[in-house]
Amino acid sequence: MVLSSNEAEDIKKHLLKKLGSFPQDKRELIKEKIESMPDTEVEDFIKENKLTHLGNQCIFCSIISNKTPSFKILEDKDYLAVLEINPFSKGHTLILPKSHEGDINSNEAKNFAKEIARLLVEKLSPKEVKMSGLKIMDHPILEIIPIFGDEKERWQATDEELKSLQEEIIKPIQPVKIEEKKEIIEEPAILYKLPPRIP
Ligand SMILES: [Zn+2]
């Protein structure tokens, strides 16, 4: 892959827009590093960090089209819910409209978000769940953040961490099994008639 200087600039812009997903104390350093990076190094940087999808494409559209791997929780025809890779709390989820110009204020989006919130509450038992809308790379996103009360700042989750969390969240709740009793209740051979009650 050979990047033109325009492409390199585009990628830098995309990276800078993603700064918000890094821990606060590292943002300044990362920003400096990106801004001062010569175009020739951008290519190696994106290879090293497996950011090849960043070209001119929106990373969320890339997730939706399965070009970028993600940890999915729920999906319907218009929305996809994935785990945030730089979460603020355990279960931090992004709801992505499948269209880049999609709507996060529609009733469908709200119902989908409620379903996610319900799932997170059921599986992770947070104290509360916060919901907010935002745009990254111009792609509208609904963020669902379970709050446990001990969160401090975002961290970079590992694939293993996200995979096991994904399994925990999407695992169906096992119904309690009740042993079926197959005893045959035999009818008594003789039915005794009770004497009429005397009041
Ligand atoms: Zn997009």
Side-chain angles (χ1 to χ4, degrees), residues 58 60-61 100 137 139:
C58 159
F60 302 104
C61 287
H100 192 77
M137 290 177 174
H139 200 118

Side-chain angles (χ1 to χ4, degrees), residues 162-179:
L162 293 171
K163 191 171 191 306
S164 90
L165 182 58
Q166 179 196 36
E167 280 164 7
E168 188 179 342
I169 295 172
I170 65 177
K171 187 173 70 181
I173 287 183
Q174 291 295 320
V176 181
K177 269 195 180 173
I178 299 166
E179 287 280 320

